[in-house]
Amino acid sequence: MPDASVLPDATTTDGALLVLAIVLPAAGVLLSFVLGGRYAQRIASVLLPSGFFLATIIFADVWQSGHRLVYIVGDWKPPLGIALRADGLSAAMMVAMAIVICAVAVFAHADFGTRAGSVEARAPFAFWILLMAIWGAMNLIFLGGDLFTLYVAIELLTFAAVPLVCLDGRAETLQAALRYLLFALLGSILYLAGTALLYGSYATLDIVLLSRRVHMEPATLVAATLMTIGLFAKTALFPLHLWLPPAHAGAPAAASAVLSAVVVKGSFFIVVRLWFDVMPGILGPAGAQLFGALGAAAIVFGSVVALRQQRLKLLIAYSTVAQIGYLFLMFPLALDTVSGQLQGSGALTGGMLQAISHATAKAAMFMAAGLIYATLGHDRIAELGGIARAIPMTIFAFALGGVSLIGLPPSGGFLAKWLLLGAAVETGQWWWAIVMLAGGLFTSGYMFIVLSSAVAPSSAPLKLRVAVPRYQEAAALALALTSLLLGLVALGPIDVLQVGRPEAIMGGSR
């Protein structure tokens, strides 16, 4: 039976903000269904900036107070009730995802805008509703305080993300969406089976309560393995990445940006919650090295295949496979060999910064690729000659995104990899440093191939199909600049990522 005397926390003063962060997108989806497709974009145009403003308030509150925000739903405390919690990781991810989603909304106006007097169409109606649903599901993932709430959130995220792949209704995108759905459902079944095993063993799924009770036993190991494999499939970690390239490369540009920058971060965030917060002492050195090895394999495989691509969107998609690998290098680097536990150290900070930096950079690059496709009518890399003169702002945004992916200063990618390299040197795990340096060289290679082709003169006069709207280029450039300047957080609120960490609480500073 649950130990009712050990209650994890109570509603804090500003805890209601967490409820609002989930209610706003849910209200937007419902209102869109009630009022119809012509109003969906207007509703999103009001609610998405409001969501960014709300995420910023939550971030500032967590940073200034140094404590996490908590809301106990219905005043029913765990293990019977549900708790919403916002620590430093949650607050930072909420702000980052809100920035990306708002920029995507601006970019999508050209492709999914609803003009006055126009006939209501299926694709715009679906896009705006799915965008708000993804925003709400991500907020629930960041704030959910128990493993079953996280399961519900990841399911909502899956069923909102899959239709984005096939918005245009083409046969190849429908096939890609079905493959994505198959992997996602397999992941869901495994995650749910592991959750049931944990509940059967410990009589609670609350993250705080479970972290106090979980211990090494066969049922725990089986549950953790099932849940981890399921989440790896949803995150597209090598070798479970097969669904990602066709899904991300075939979707419309705005959808590709959301799928690559936002959606894969949801399941990754739950992996972090599971291993750093629920069972930090279970992974062990062998498990941590296995996570790192899968990440390294993803970096090498994704980069090599990206180098061989002839289409720009497929190159970016395989680049995502590679960049996801960096996220899993933090597990061996965060393991304290003395205590045998994963610590919220510089490696965790570096890994989460890599997730945020990749989100902003990759969204910018998919937007830029979409504009190139719209301008030329194709995205064949060998035939991009002269495009840099036609749409210089777009190519500049693409290049800035690449700077962050490579890890050049002062980008967020540089700071993230610097922290990971520092952890590798500090812990004597030099082999991960070699993997990161090799990954940077691979990334430089495929960025050079694209940019050299784009700035080369065209062999024949370019025939531009459409004139790219300035606001679309500005949205891509804004995200690329965000990714570039993210490295400057080293001068500011980088310590917010440690707020609410168990080590910080035990240390008494937070």
Side-chain angles (χ1 to χ4, degrees), residues 85-107:
R85 303 185 183 94
D87 57 9
L89 297 182
S90 307
M93 291 298 286
M94 283 180 67
V95 172
M97 296 302 118
I99 290 173
V100 173
I101 289 176
C102 286
V104 169
V106 172
F107 181 88

Side-chain angles (χ1 to χ4, degrees), residues 43-118:
I43 293 168
S45 300
V46 173
L47 291 185
L48 292 178
S50 304
F52 169 67
F53 184 62
L54 179 62
T56 306
I57 293 175
I58 292 172
F59 179 88
D61 200 329
V62 170
W63 183 30
Q64 292 299 322
S65 68
H67 299 284
R68 62 187 176 192
L69 304 184
V70 180
Y71 185 85
I72 307 297
V73 178
D75 208 23
W76 287 76
K77 295 185 178 181
L80 295 178
I82 296 173
L84 303 176
R85 303 185 183 94
D87 57 9
L89 297 182
S90 307
M93 291 298 286
M94 283 180 67
V95 172
M97 296 302 118
I99 290 173
V100 173
I101 289 176
C102 286
V104 169
V106 172
F107 181 88
H109 178 75
D111 298 326
F112 299 104
T114 305
R115 294 175 179 80
S118 61

Side-chain angles (χ1 to χ4, degrees), residues 74-298:
D75 208 23
W76 287 76
K77 295 185 178 181
L80 295 178
I82 296 173
L84 303 176
R85 303 185 183 94
D87 57 9
L89 297 182
S90 307
M93 291 298 286
M94 283 180 67
V95 172
M97 296 302 118
I99 290 173
V100 173
I101 289 176
C102 286
V104 169
V106 172
F107 181 88
H109 178 75
D111 298 326
F112 299 104
T114 305
R115 294 175 179 80
S118 61
V119 178
E120 183 175 321
R122 175 189 58 83
F125 179 52
F127 177 82
W128 295 110
I129 286 181
L130 294 173
L131 187 63
M132 287 187 283
I134 286 175
W135 167 36
M138 291 298 292
N139 281 351
L140 190 56
I141 286 173
F142 298 142
L143 301 176
D146 66 86
L147 297 180
F148 188 74
T149 299
L150 296 183
Y151 166 75
V152 173
I154 201 73
E155 285 305 284
L156 291 173
L157 185 65
T158 296
F159 288 111
V162 169
L164 279 180
V165 175
C166 55
L167 274 179
D168 58 11
R170 291 181 292 126
E172 56 265 38
T173 58
L174 284 171
Q175 188 177 14
L178 286 175
R179 180 183 294 185
Y180 177 19
L181 182 63
L182 185 65
F183 272 81
L185 289 179
L186 174 65
S188 299
I189 292 170
L190 294 176
Y191 180 88
L192 188 59
T195 303
L197 272 176
L198 284 180
Y199 187 76
S201 300
Y202 301 105
T204 183
L205 292 175
D206 182 81
I207 290 174
V208 174
L209 291 178
L210 199 53
S211 67
R212 296 169 180 168
R213 300 175 186 179
V214 74
H215 55 272
M216 185 76 80
E217 63 174 352
T220 305
L221 290 176
V222 172
T225 302
L226 292 174
M227 296 169 78
T228 302
I229 294 174
L231 293 169
F232 281 1
K234 287 176 175 288
T235 309
L237 178 65
F238 179 86
L240 301 173
H241 67 283
L242 298 177
W243 62 266
L244 188 147
H248 288 196
S256 298
V258 174
L259 292 168
S260 185
V262 177
V263 173
V264 294
K265 305 303 185 301
S267 47
F268 167 72
F269 189 83
I270 298 178
V271 174
V272 174
R273 278 279 185 248
L274 183 65
W275 287 106
F276 277 84
D277 293 345
V278 177
M279 45 185 79
I282 301 294
L283 186 59
Q289 292 296 317
L290 176 61
F291 278 31
L294 290 173

Side-chain angles (χ1 to χ4, degrees), residues 32 83 107 136 177 236 364 431 437 446 457 500:
S32 299
F107 181 88
W431 49 93
L437 294 174
Y446 57 72

